[in-house]
Amino acid sequence: MTSSAAAAIRETKGRPLVSVRGVSKQFSNGTLAVRGVDLDLADGEFVSLLGPAGCGKSTLLRMIAGLGAPSVGTIEWPTAPHDSRGLAEPDLGFVFQDPTLMPWATALKNVMLPMTLAGVSKPDAEARAAEMLALVGLKGFEASYPRELSGGMKMRVSIARALVTKPKILLMDEPFAALDEITRHKLNDDLLGLWERNRFTAVFVTHSVFESVYLSQRIVVMAARPGRVMADLRVDAAYPRDDLFRTSAEYAHLCRVASETLKKAIAG
Amino acid sequence: MTDMPLAGPSVPHDGTDAEARPVFVEERRVLGLPVSAWPGIIAPLTIGLFALAAWELIVEWKRVPSYILPGPLLIAKTLVTDWDTLSGALWITLRITFAALVAAVTVGVALAILFTQSKWLEKSLFPYAVILQVTPVVSIAPLIIIWVGDINLSLLICAWLVAFFPILSNTILGLNSADHNLINLFQLYRASRWQTLRHLRLPAALPYFLAGLKISGGLALIGAVVAEFVAGSGGNASGLAYRILESGYQLRIPRMFAALILISLSGIAIFLVTSWIAHLFLRRWHESAIRREN
């Protein structure tokens, strides 16, 4: 089922942005975190990796980002530049489960970080970081330190930092899991707004059926022990999605389908 | 809510976020210090004044001779009359302390950075740093004085030996305590070693380094005084410790007390200055510097 769905996407979209082939990951303590994953991510699509704790979805995401190489298999970036050793240098942004901000730096300085590291001139970096902060709704908080911000605002800074370089792909590792539901809904809406505006490829790791259905065009359902891909669902609801969609029968139906697939996946 | 433009509003448009923002209320200040800081100053001062008064009264009442225990007033008078000798000695001790602290910071931080760049270097050299630390300075001071020859330099080395270890070990701990996800983030952006050090490891190490500095400041003074005692018993020193020894031999006990008080005051001043430096660096962001309402 997995490979046929992936093949269909390849046919319709041409060359994928990322191509994961036969990837397994075994940790040094012997745990098989991920086994035999094949996955193609097309340019501009919103994909969720959905699964229970321990299904290797975060591990897979980190491998896609280049944090930890697969034990077996390859992750290829057909369209990305490569360095002299042949390693891909994809243009990506990453949002961790925690905001992962530098506590000693202001919101503006935190968002400037990717540009500072890339050697962008300071006035240029400042202007772009301020613009990005405004875009995530934090205009006026440039000089605030992370400890002066609420959990949701810190996450906004983290998203701004990930998007400030205008990456082709945004990888998110359960970014809103620690937030309350009201804030999470708000951030889901804003994330979709940013995605519709810039059309980066979004890979969103979550264990929430509702969140994955609300956000994505495609849900990759994973199962645990060992972590593997069980199903690849399409969510054919139109964007923009909003509170109306959240309360629609269509949404409820899609959630039920996704939930049953997940249940089946967990049962093995 | 979703039809609201994403750009524009100066407050995030979810009420929850704005309400969750901590509110910082500027406290009322008296003589430049926040009101809540004053009890912490007044209470120990009152206790001190009472103790001094009791001391003076007992000395007067029991007619304790000044070569056994001089009263606080006599000590204060000695501090004024012997100021020329004492201030010279104070200056010498402080100079050695300060130079030793600067050397401890320089060498401690440099070694810490070196050690965190290479695990092998740390494994090979760190045990020797521990040996230097655990060997009592009194026991090696005579050797150092003989080997080095120049008295000021040998005192400086002794004080440095005592002071540098807290800075070294704290800074190593700090450099290694950077958030793992942030380290990953720097990897993702292909940051160089130098960039990771400059933008991540050094700032993360700052609170640890400053805690080390507070300890080392006091230790540098102790090191300088102890080394001076060793040198002073050989008759070649001129700092406060030497004045204490000399006053002991000459039974000028009030002067001994006066020198002792100058050492204590120096220690307090060093502590206050290093604490103030730490506060200046950390007040905006570090947990240790944040005053909480609950």
Side-chain angles (χ1 to χ4, degrees), chain A residues 18-264:
Chain A
V18 192
S19 180
V20 177
R21 282 288 163 273
V23 161
S24 298
K25 175 77 179 182
Q26 187 156 26
F27 288 122
S28 52
N29 65 7
T31 314
L32 190 56
V34 174
R35 193 183 70 188
V37 170
D38 289 308
L39 189 67
D40 275 344
L41 300 173
D43 206 357
E45 70 175 339
F46 202 123
V47 186
S48 283
L49 303 182
L50 174 68
C55 73
K57 52 193 192 301
S58 291
T59 309
L60 180 60
L61 190 79
R62 294 174 77 89
M63 284 193 290
I64 292 173
L67 296 171
S71 314
V72 184
T74 55
I75 296 174
E76 276 166 24
W77 298 80
T79 56
H82 289 66
D83 69 3
S84 55
R85 287 176 298 166
L87 294 173
E89 294 194 318
D91 192 4
L92 54 81
F94 200 100
V95 178
F96 296 88
Q97 186 166 0
D98 301 318
T100 315
L101 302 175
M102 301 179 291
W104 54 83
T106 60
L108 189 72
K109 282 261 158 59
N110 266 292
V111 177
M112 281 166 66
L113 178 73
M115 292 179 288
T116 309
L117 294 177
V120 177
S121 77
K122 204 178 160 194
D124 198 10
E126 267 175 2
R128 280 164 65 185
E131 194 187 327
M132 197 61 228
L133 273 176
L135 216 56
V136 297
L138 284 180
K139 198 178 174 63
F141 291 89
E142 291 86 358
S144 300
Y145 283 80
R147 69 171 180 88
E148 297 167 351
L149 301 173
S150 70
M153 292 162 91
K154 278 188 256 195
M155 213 21 116
R156 284 167 191 275
V157 177
S158 192
I159 292 170
R161 179 182 60 193
L163 288 179
V164 75
T165 51
K166 301 209 165 36
K168 290 188 81 71
I169 182 165
L170 177 64
L171 305 168
M172 289 164 282
D173 187 3
E174 300 190 37
F176 310 141
L179 302 176
D180 65 84
E181 192 170 279
I182 301 165
T183 310
R184 190 161 64 233
H185 282 175
K186 194 66 215 137
L187 279 162
N188 281 341
D189 289 342
D190 288 357
L191 177 62
L192 279 185
L194 289 165
W195 176 70
E196 282 178 79
R197 191 188 156 100
N198 295 326
R199 284 292 167 161
F200 42 84
T201 303
V203 186
F204 192 95
V205 164
T206 180
H207 54 238
S208 161
V209 170
F210 306 102
E211 199 174 34
S212 65
V213 171
Y214 185 71
L215 290 172
S216 3
Q217 297 174 306
R218 181 179 163 204
I219 303 174
V220 176
V221 181
M222 297 181 70
R225 280 172 287 277
R228 60 208 187 275
V229 173
M230 299 298 285
D232 200 330
L233 304 172
R234 297 215 64 87
V235 182
D236 285 323
Y239 293 91
R241 297 175 183 174
D242 50 22
D243 281 340
L244 218 61
F245 175 62
R246 219 193 285 278
T247 48
S248 68
E250 186 190 12
Y251 177 64
H253 171 71
L254 288 166
C255 286
R256 195 174 313 126
V257 173
S259 188
E260 269 159 20
T261 313
L262 181 64
K263 215 179 276 173
K264 241 181 275 168

Side-chain angles (χ1 to χ4, degrees), chain B residues 172-210:
Chain B
I172 288 177
L173 183 65
L175 288 170
N176 287 329
S177 70
D179 181 347
H180 188 75
N181 281 336
L182 273 173
I183 293 176
N184 282 160
L185 191 77
F186 274 66
Q187 281 173 355
L188 285 180
Y189 289 118
R190 294 179 273 278
S192 67
R193 237 165 207 249
W194 162 247
Q195 283 178 321
T196 312
L197 181 69
R198 153 98 178 67
H199 295 290
L200 177 59
R201 291 195 189 272
L202 284 178
L206 193 60
Y208 296 82
F209 161 76
L210 289 168

Side-chain angles (χ1 to χ4, degrees), chain B residues 38-196:
Chain B
W38 278 105
I41 297 169
I42 292 167
L45 264 185
T46 316
I47 297 282
L49 283 175
F50 269 110
L52 286 178
W55 177 0
E56 183 69 37
L57 283 175
I58 290 170
V59 168
E60 283 290 314
W61 178 47
K62 291 274 188 190
R63 294 178 193 282
V64 183
S66 71
Y67 57 83
I68 302 284
L69 179 67
L73 286 178
L74 180 57
I75 294 169
K77 213 186 292 167
T78 314
L79 207 50
V80 175
T81 52
D82 294 5
W83 180 245
D84 282 346
T85 329
L86 287 172
S87 63
L90 172 68
W91 174 235
I92 287 166
T93 302
L94 282 183
R95 221 170 42 189
I96 290 169
T97 305
F98 187 68
L101 190 58
V102 170
V105 168
T106 319
V107 178
V109 171
L111 274 184
I113 290 173
L114 214 60
F115 283 5
T116 45
Q117 296 301 307
S118 156
K119 274 280 153 227
W120 276 110
L121 213 57
E122 183 181 359
K123 280 191 177 111
S124 336
L125 288 181
F126 195 73
Y128 295 99
V130 176
I131 292 173
L132 279 182
Q133 166 67 13
V134 295
T135 312
V137 71
V138 214
S139 56
I140 43 171
L143 265 181
I144 290 172
I145 291 164
I146 292 168
W147 286 344
V148 175
D150 179 61
I151 188 66
N152 280 328
L153 187 58
S154 20
L155 293 182
L156 174 63
I157 291 173
C158 290
W160 170 79
L161 272 181
V162 183
F164 101 106
F165 191 78
I167 293 196
L168 174 69
S169 64
N170 273 27
T171 310
I172 288 177
L173 183 65
L175 288 170
N176 287 329
S177 70
D179 181 347
H180 188 75
N181 281 336
L182 273 173
I183 293 176
N184 282 160
L185 191 77
F186 274 66
Q187 281 173 355
L188 285 180
Y189 289 118
R190 294 179 273 278
S192 67
R193 237 165 207 249
W194 162 247
Q195 283 178 321
T196 312

